[in-house]
Amino acid sequence: MSRFFATGTDSESDSTSEDEPVVRAPAPVYTFSDDEEETKRVVRSMKEKRYEELEGIIHSLRNHRKIKDFSSALASFEELQKAYTRAAPVVQKEENGIAPRFFIRALVELDDWVTGVWTDRDGRKQLSKGNSKALTSLRQKLRKYTKDFDAEISKFREQPDLPDDDDDERKESSSSDEFEDEDKVVTKPRRSPEPPRRPPLQDDESSDSMDWGSSSDDSSSSSDDETRGATTLRERFLKRTTERDDEEEQDRRKKGRRKEQNRKINKKDQIDDGGEWETVRKGVATSDKPKMFAKDAEIDAALVVKKLGEVSAARGRKRTDRRAQLELLYELRTVAQQHNLGPALQVKLRAAIVAALFDYNPKVSDAMKPEYWSKLVENVDEMVTILLAHEDMVLSETILEENEQLSQAPYRIRGCLLTALERLDDEFTKLLKECDPHSNEYVERLKDEVRVSMLIDRVCQVVERDGTGQEICRAYLRKIDHLYYKFDPRAVRKDLPPGEETSIKKMERLCKYIYAHDESDRLRTRAILSHIYHHALHDNWFQARDLLLMSHLQETVQHSDPSTQILYNRTMANLGLCAFRKGNVKEAHGCLAELMMTGKPKELLAQGLLPQRQHERSKEQEKIEKQRQMPFHMHINLELLECVYLVSAMLIEIPYMAAHEFDARRRMISKTFYQNLRASERQALVGPPESMREHAVAAARAMRRGDWRACLNFIVNDKMNAKVWDLMVGAENVRAMLGRLIREEALRTYLFTYSHVYASLSLKSLADMFELPRQRVHSLVSKMIINEELLASLDDPSECAILHRSEPSRMQALALQLADKVGNLVDSNERIFEKQGSFFQRGGAARGEGRTRDRPRDSWNRRTRNRRRDDERSHDD
Amino acid sequence: MEVAQGALLGLVVENRLEITNCFPFPKHDDTMDEEEYQLDMMRRLRRVNVDHFHVGWYQSADVGNFLSLPLLESQYHYQTSIEESVVVIYDTKKSARGFLTLKAYRLTPQAIAMYKENDYTPESLKNLKIGYESLFIEVPIVIRNSPLTNIMMSELSEMIPEEEGCKFLDLGTASVLEGQLRSLMDRVDELNQEAIKFNRYQLLVVRQQQEKHRWLLKRTQENAARATKGEPPLPEEDVNKLFKPHPVPQRLNPMIVAGQINTYSQHISQFCSQSLAKLYLTQALQNAKEAKQNN
């Protein structure tokens, strides 16, 4: 065994971890405990240092091999090359230019591994692109590099089990091809009474990671006791390797911890060569726990607080190992518990742990890990339990450190439960957003929502007990945030047992408190919006509408922060849906128009980012936007939203279009809908509708023809039911409402479009045609007559609408329109002519003439305006 | 609007152009080279000993809005490369109603001159004395069928039942007129836009003139002041640098639109007079019928 094992590979080995090239010095973790490790450090020779470096790289190379991380292995290999070049002078001096055996061994191992993987074609195909690329280049580089060591390698292959520093064996050179000398290798007798520590490890690896596997076979073929020794050793190292595997998996996620552990393992290696390997497995905390206090120290509250102060003083510093800090805090807590130092100290320690847990995640934008999150919940929960159990305990951020009262009855502790809770809730949302919303993982996470809600409820109790009004508002708002989007089936039930609190009542209570006590407008705004949302969700249309109108939020909301605006958008979307369910099509359209007009409701509702176009937003912006996204379970179905919007637009726009067919400047009510309709009309061939949008457009076109049956079939059918309508609460009612509205609006459209071909219309036949009750037809026709949309009078005895033929026919209307346009043209032409004259005169033109010329055009305009009235006269003209 | 186009083949005989064959151009698609296709087509026709001289082209049209920028342009190219070429317009809508409408057009010399100059300012158009009515001249068409076709036609005419083929007495005029009115309206709108554009240009010019005038006035005053002081006068040529002339709006498009309006109007008036005649005719018939019944 060479000397450099004795010193152990320390920090250098870590520095080779290729994913993080920055070498971080090991954090001074054990400053509080003892520093016996420090004494172990010795001055090392050049050789040691170089060899250590090599050893470290080889070690990490091995690790990469185990997880088949080719790209990292490639990097490590390159590093190894460099390190060896650096070590070359030393090699020259110490070993007469013969490469050290462990280095050759590493090369051979690597070579075998690469060839093994290379020959395994199926396995290679499964590799990721980056990995397979790395593999190819690694193979090439390795081939080139090993050429320099041909002799040594072949020698090594003949006696692979020799101890590393044994290099006086002289054998005749054999061919460089590895596979040819396999058989030779097998036949060679083994001669290593005490195999060094590394080889068995390598044996084990090679047997499971590649098909070379000769050395393990060899060892079993040799003498008995040696086999036993080898197997036990292998077993021992098997344990260790698996452990290292674990370690490695964590490695990729965390650097600091690994560093820690590696170090520890190495230390273990030195201290007990073989003994208590189980304890290492158990983790850091148990193996060598940092010693908090001197053995015989009298542990009391003051001491613990002092210690806590020490620990938390390191908090936030660059080189602080957050994990170690956490462990220390846990330890401190156990100590405090053991010595029964009172609940207040417990709360304080828990608060410190919570803070440390929050600190643990270095990046604010990323979610913390679920296990840490649940630790967090546990701790906060525990804090709340203690607080609830002790009436006389106050936890507040207004209490200063020096005014704390930890030991006796009226406890006063500095800290803020509410902030912790809010942070915890935010982290929960982040966690949810982290995972794929369609996976089981999401469901699993979502189950924690109950825990969070319960926790919030309990925190509310605490805050109600001893918080200020503003704090209560904050706590309530958190509660509302977890409540407002949930549909409570009890709230819409008629036969509700009295005394049971539905979510509506709960919302009412919470919101009213906030309305009364909030001092910042933001909380109140959010509360109102959530309240409206909740009402809308439960079909309380009037309450929701009134609340919105009273709040006057529409005018001010664009000045508020983005997340409030998002909430506003969500509220409006739901209000629109609610209005639609209640049959208030116009209101529904009004609510949704703003959202749908822009064409990006997805972004407005924070339910996903639109694909990037020409770097519209920078990385930071995108990050911020991602943070604002709603978790999936709170999403509003966009297709439903769009469908409701299109259908309500159709119900408004189509009769309007029919009524104003000849209006020169008719406005569009809904631009989006109009565009869709136009696009469909422009198509030469319209196939049967597929998507929801196509259905809506097809229905609109059917309605234009007055074909309500087709229209209804397009809107309400199996496909649309599955896609849209079944998602609504009370789908049956909605469908019935749709049927009624479509009939009515189709009737109106029909009357607008075709009334000119009738002299009289029987209400009865109309009612039959549109399958509407006769009273309804009567009232609709009457309304149109009153609004002067239909020039007719009702004849009661015969139940007919007699149409007055004062409306110009379509032809006449067109002719009038043309006359209007020609008038305009003449006008502008004459103006050109007038200028033309002045153009040459180069002076002010006589403008007076224009007035007389304007007259005929004026009369045209008047005529079109009053064309209903003096239609007869204009015909005489 | 989609139009069908194709090449006409034939020969010049004495003072007339005989068109004896034609083939359609393929629909626009990127995979085929149109020119190649035409040449191929003509080569093959030559092999089967058919007239293969390119003498013009044809295009389908709706009601008469055939006049357009591309048409003018292609006809210009045709006429400059093949002197005798014509464009034949086939009105699909009217033909479908039973009026075969084939018209042949050639560009007038003025139109060719205009195109050659590639200048469509009002001034140059005025100098050329060209307007929408003098863009094209219509060439009379005489249709000659081969005796075989004539035989078949007469046979077919016997096969048609007596009631059929009287569609030209159809009294339903509204839909046709409506369609034409709508198109006419669109064109009028467009022309109006052009007029407004020109108007705006005029305004700009007038304003610029005034500004120029003011500037010159100021400059002369200044110069007068300088003259009294004995300083050299400032040059007056700067005015052209200061005031860049505005671009003159092109008048080709308005001219084309005006031409279209003209054709529409002609069509409408023609249609109306025919319809009126039909109505009178029907009225007379109806009266006669009623009189007969009463007797």
Side-chain angles (χ1 to χ4, degrees), chain A residues 128-147:
Chain A
S128 73
K129 203 178 163 197
N131 259 348
S132 59
K133 219 171 162 184
L135 173 62
T136 326
S137 62
L138 178 64
R139 185 164 163 264
Q140 281 170 352
K141 281 195 179 149
L142 194 64
R143 276 201 170 165
K144 225 181 261 172
Y145 195 65
T146 42
K147 274 202 185 124

Side-chain angles (χ1 to χ4, degrees), chain A residues 549-561:
Chain A
L549 294 180
M550 277 193 301
S551 66
H552 292 287
L553 275 175
Q554 300 98 308
E555 294 119 52
T556 55
V557 78
Q558 57 264 39
H559 305 300
S560 55
D561 57 322

Side-chain angles (χ1 to χ4, degrees), chain A residues 451-546:
Chain A
R451 274 170 83 190
V452 176
S453 300
M454 300 243 292
L455 191 60
I456 292 175
D457 279 354
R458 294 179 53 195
V459 170
C460 278
Q461 283 175 34
V462 175
V463 174
E464 270 167 25
R465 198 183 69 197
D466 46 30
T468 63
Q470 192 61 28
E471 278 174 341
I472 298 177
C473 287
R474 266 166 72 195
Y476 278 0
L477 193 68
R478 278 288 149 176
K479 205 166 161 182
I480 288 171
D481 279 347
H482 278 266
L483 196 65
Y484 79 95
Y485 64 91
K486 288 178 193 154
F487 182 75
D488 183 3
R490 290 177 306 164
V492 285
R493 247 172 44 199
K494 296 281 184 294
D495 53 335
L496 196 68
E500 195 173 331
E501 195 182 39
T502 63
S503 64
I504 290 206
K505 285 192 185 131
K506 216 189 271 177
M507 278 298 275
E508 188 101 16
R509 183 168 59 78
L510 298 172
C511 288
K512 277 191 175 152
Y513 185 88
I514 294 181
Y515 300 155
H517 293 88
D518 175 51
E519 286 146 24
S520 73
D521 270 345
R522 186 172 178 274
L523 292 192
R524 188 180 299 133
T525 311
R526 288 194 75 95
I528 292 175
L529 287 174
S530 308
H531 202 177
I532 297 169
Y533 190 108
H534 203 66
H535 270 313
L537 201 60
H538 294 89
D539 273 354
N540 292 335
W541 159 245
F542 290 108
Q543 285 98 314
R545 188 198 60 184
D546 292 347

Side-chain angles (χ1 to χ4, degrees), chain A residues 351-365:
Chain A
I353 290 173
V354 167
L357 276 168
F358 281 134
D359 277 354
Y360 191 70
N361 188 14
K363 278 191 203 149
V364 185
S365 54

